[in-house]
Amino acid sequence: LTPTASRGAAFGALLLCIPLLVTIAGHLRGELALERFRYLAAYAARVATPEDLVSARQLALAETSLALRWGAHNTDALVALSHDNLQWSGDDVMPDDTREALARAADAASVEAVRCAPTDYLGWLALARTRMAAGDWDRADLCVRQARTLVRRPGEGRMFTVPKTPGDDRQIP
């Protein structure tokens, strides 16, 4: 190869690597948002004043939106985001607009978890929880039914039913 052809091949290889680097940078930003969310959740669990609690959760809500934008590839983290945001949305200390934003973020995280990994039953359970919290019982029931079909081992299906008490002859659905 001539020196000009070598430089051209090297430049072409560099151009092919740029989209990969941009994608990796996006994933890195998503993981950073998830870790900041975890840090803020741990901080919110140990604050002393309600003002600090509201502030920490509002910052965590901002990190949730970044994690949804950049970290949608991590479905386990999305399920955890959904759980924490949904739990916080029921706290009376939070202002009403923040509670609504937390509930919307929880729903968005669970929907994204199901969209990214439709064969993972944990995402379907998170979606069922957010639907139940919103009062959409029919869709929540559909999500639980879908999660039941995705359980890998039959013994894991017990998490979807009420445990039977020894000596109780009633049929449990």
Side-chain angles (χ1 to χ4, degrees), residues 149-172:
T149 64
L150 296 173
V151 173
R152 289 185 210 102
R153 294 180 297 273
E156 288 181 357
R158 71 185 181 284
M159 71 177 72
F160 303 111
T161 59
V162 179
K164 189 172 180 178
T165 307
D168 190 359
D169 294 336
R170 293 180 293 167
Q171 182 68 28
I172 297 176

Side-chain angles (χ1 to χ4, degrees), residues 1-14:
L1 288 172
T2 64
T4 305
S6 304
R7 280 188 292 239
F11 184 71
L14 180 64

